[in-house]
């Protein structure tokens, strides 16, 4: 019996070996290797620029080819995520704002995780379900690392396969040849480059287009390539093989939140709060459309008025948004009269909150006219606009129960983030500070802050070089001279950025000595 069983075991083992080296797995391996090499070429010791969108597009190319049998091609939220991902990646080529570069570096991968889960049907929860965060965490910390050793196992199986049996595919043989020759050739070229200066010169010109082939850099890039390639392979493998969901099977439905709040208690609270807000709103309208100077308490300036109230109003606004969403989701509304009363009072609360936002916006505008424009102040305005749109979505939910609040919040947040990326805050800040300085006699301009802005602001900053105030002109000239020297340094093509390029062209027109 034991002897009879052995052949079966051997056949099973061979079958498993044949299965693991099938062409789909080899495609995953080759795709991961390609992306690892592209990653090193684009990012190793390079500043981010055009390299980022190139890598994103390369990733999409590998994704679409290796997972073409698993991807569901249809117009939905998952497919539409391509727009923000591509737009945010191209922001690295168009703009040079360090703040957005940092946040985009974190947000773009999260959007890619979200999209790849959705288009391959690997999500357990709908994207507008709060529990979808579990899918994202699983993708980030489980899928990415679960099969990190699988590519080495696959390579081992390929190498063990008998190439002289006639059963090995051409693809397998090519992969074996590449795996064996690439590192060997790289090491040999690096050593010969050290031995012969002429050879080193020619190889150096070639390596400048790709990677530095010195021993140290090659080792570092090899390690980085192995890590990046293994992580990509692990994630793609999980998308390909963990998708066991049957076609047409419904994804886990949203959790039905149990409504437990008593409507009478909620109505009483809403009436009390709205009475205070109505009085406050009437006062705000008096400020907004009346003469502020005649209504401000004695000794209080515009700036003090703005500074004292702004943050408190924003805090109250956020509290009101939380109150609204809680009431909508947790309050019983079985009675038609009570339901209508709740809708009316919620609408009144939304309207009062919108007036608070308008007042906060007005206060911040006063503060900016007094002290100038900065990132924080401009982004604060953007945040208030975002909250205003969120309130509109909440108002729709008040009157239309089937409206998905979380879905609208996610879509609005993505659109808002793309908009603020392409708004170009640096240009807005420098233009408005210069306008404020030129139109208000006696005002000063913070040249130190202006020169801290990104290269997007340089084409507009140069207008201050001929200013009548010699101190301002001198400060700007000194800072722009330093920036010109930095921009004149040799940059790799991978780091090409339109903002840097425009700034360099503008500064080249000035002597700045």
């Amino acid at each position: 019996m034991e002897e009879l069983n052995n052949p079966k075991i051997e056949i099973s083992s061979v079958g498993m070996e044949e299965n693991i080296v099938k062409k789909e797995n080899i495609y995953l391996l080759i795709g991961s290797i390609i992306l690892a090499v592209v990653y090193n070429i684009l990012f190793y010791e390079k500043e981010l620029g055009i390299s980022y969108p190139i890598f994103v597009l390369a990733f999409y190319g590998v994704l679409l080819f290796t997972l073409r049998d698993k991807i569901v091609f249809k117009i939905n939220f998952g497919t539409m995520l391509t727009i923000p991902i591509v737009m945010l990646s191209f922001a690295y080529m168009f703009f040079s704002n360090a703040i957005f570069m940092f946040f985009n570096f974190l947000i773009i991968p999260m959007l890619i995780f979200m999209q790849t889960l959705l288009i391959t049907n690997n999500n357990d929860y709908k994207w507008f379900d709060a529990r979808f965060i579990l899918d994202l965490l699983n993708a980030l910390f489980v899928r990415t690392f679960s099969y990190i050793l699988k590519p080495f196992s696959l390579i081992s199986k390929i190498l063990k396969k008998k190439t002289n049996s006639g059963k090995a595919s051409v693809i397998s043989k090519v992969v074996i040849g590449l795996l064996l020759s690439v590192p060997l050739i790289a090491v040999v070229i690096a050593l010969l480059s050290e031995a012969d200066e002429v050879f080193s010169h020619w190889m150096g010109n070639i390596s400048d287009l790709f990677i530095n082939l010195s021993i140290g850099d090659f080792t570092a890039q090899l390690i980085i390539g192995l890590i990046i390639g293994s992580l990509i392979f692990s994630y793609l493998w999980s998308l390909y093989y963990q998708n066991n969901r049957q076609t047409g099977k419904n994804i886990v439905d949203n959790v039905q939140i149990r409504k437990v709040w008593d409507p009478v208690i909620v109505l009483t609270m809403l009436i009390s709060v709205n009475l205070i807000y109505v009085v406050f709103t009437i006062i705000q309208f008096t400020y907004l459309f009346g003469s502020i100077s005649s209504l401000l308490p004695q000794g209080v300036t515009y700036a003090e008025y703005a500074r004292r109230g702004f943050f408190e109003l924003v805090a109250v606004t956020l509290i009101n948004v939380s109150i609204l969403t809680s009431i909508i989701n947790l309050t019983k509304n079985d009675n038609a009269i009570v339901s209508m009363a709740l809708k009316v009072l919620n609408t009144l609360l939304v309207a009062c909150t919108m007036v608070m936002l308008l007042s906060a916006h007005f206060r911040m505008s006063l503060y900016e006219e007094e002290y100038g424009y900065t990132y924080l102040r401009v982004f604060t305005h953007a945040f208030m606009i975002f909250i205003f749109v969120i309130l509109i979505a909440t108002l729709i939910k008040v009157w239309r129960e089937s409206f998905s609040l979380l879905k609208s919040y996610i879509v609005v947040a993505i659109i808002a983030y793309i908009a603020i990326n392409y708004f170009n805050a640096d240009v807005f800040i420098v233009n408005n500070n210069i306008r404020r300085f030129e139109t208000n006699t006696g005002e000063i301009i913070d040249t130190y802050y202006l020169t801290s802005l990104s290269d997007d602001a340089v084409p507009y900053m140069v207008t201050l070089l001929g200013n009548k105030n010699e101190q301002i002109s001198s400060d700007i000239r000194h800072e722009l001279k330093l920036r010109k020297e930095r921009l004149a340094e040799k940059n790799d093509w991978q780091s090409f950025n339109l903002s840097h390029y425009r700034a360099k062209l503008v500064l080249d027109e000035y002597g700045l000595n």
Side-chain angles (χ1 to χ4, degrees), residues 89-129:
S89 67
F90 271 97
Y92 280 97
M93 186 180 75
F94 296 145
F95 312 110
S96 55
N97 187 296
I99 298 174
F100 288 121
M101 281 189 169
F102 172 77
F103 284 108
N104 289 347
F105 195 81
L106 302 176
I107 291 174
I108 293 174
M110 292 308 300
L111 291 177
I112 290 176
F113 277 122
M114 181 184 294
Q115 182 184 44
T116 51
L117 288 174
L118 294 174
I119 63 177
T120 59
N121 285 330
N122 272 285
N123 54 309
D124 291 324
Y125 305 102
K126 296 178 180 178
W127 62 269
F128 50 88
D129 188 326

Side-chain angles (χ1 to χ4, degrees), residues 301-421:
T301 64
Y302 288 175
E304 289 173 329
Y305 164 76
R307 185 175 64 253
R308 288 179 183 179
F310 171 77
F311 291 105
E312 289 80 0
L313 283 177
V314 173
V316 172
T317 298
L318 295 176
I319 290 172
N320 288 352
V321 172
S322 301
I323 290 174
L324 281 164
T325 54
S326 299
I327 290 174
I328 291 171
N329 291 306
L330 299 176
T331 305
K332 301 176 182 177
N333 55 0
D334 298 333
N335 186 288
I337 297 176
V338 171
S339 177
M340 179 57 66
L342 282 171
K343 290 179 179 179
V344 172
L345 290 173
N346 282 334
T347 301
L348 181 59
L349 183 59
V350 170
C352 291
T353 305
M354 286 180 171
V355 174
M356 291 179 193
L357 275 177
L358 182 62
S359 177
H361 166 77
F362 183 65
R363 290 167 188 258
M364 181 52 69
S365 298
L366 288 176
Y367 193 76
E368 287 171 330
E369 285 299 325
E370 185 72 18
Y371 293 106
Y373 296 78
T374 65
Y375 281 137
L376 180 61
R377 294 162 196 170
V378 171
F379 292 157
T380 299
H381 278 296
F383 178 72
M384 286 188 286
I385 295 173
F386 169 70
I387 295 297
F388 189 86
V389 178
I390 287 294
L391 285 171
I392 294 176
T394 307
L395 184 59
I396 296 174
K397 176 66 175 179
V398 169
W399 292 95
R400 186 180 174 185
E401 293 185 11
S402 61
F403 186 74
S404 177
L405 205 55
L406 185 56
K407 182 188 294 186
S408 64
Y409 284 179
I410 294 173
V411 173
V412 169
I414 292 174
I415 294 175
Y417 187 73
I418 295 173
I420 193 63
N421 263 268

Side-chain angles (χ1 to χ4, degrees), residues 110 113-114 117-118 122-144 146 235 238-239 242 245 251-255 406 410:
M110 292 308 300
F113 277 122
M114 181 184 294
L117 288 174
L118 294 174
N122 272 285
N123 54 309
D124 291 324
Y125 305 102
K126 296 178 180 178
W127 62 269
F128 50 88
D129 188 326
R131 294 172 298 171
F132 183 68
I133 190 68
L134 298 176
D135 284 329
L136 289 177
L137 292 175
N138 179 65
L140 183 60
F141 296 108
V142 179
R143 289 178 178 271
T144 308
S146 293
Y235 185 65
S238 74
L239 293 178
Q242 282 191 9
R245 189 174 293 108
I251 299 174
V252 178
D253 292 330
N254 290 332
V255 174
L406 185 56
I410 294 173

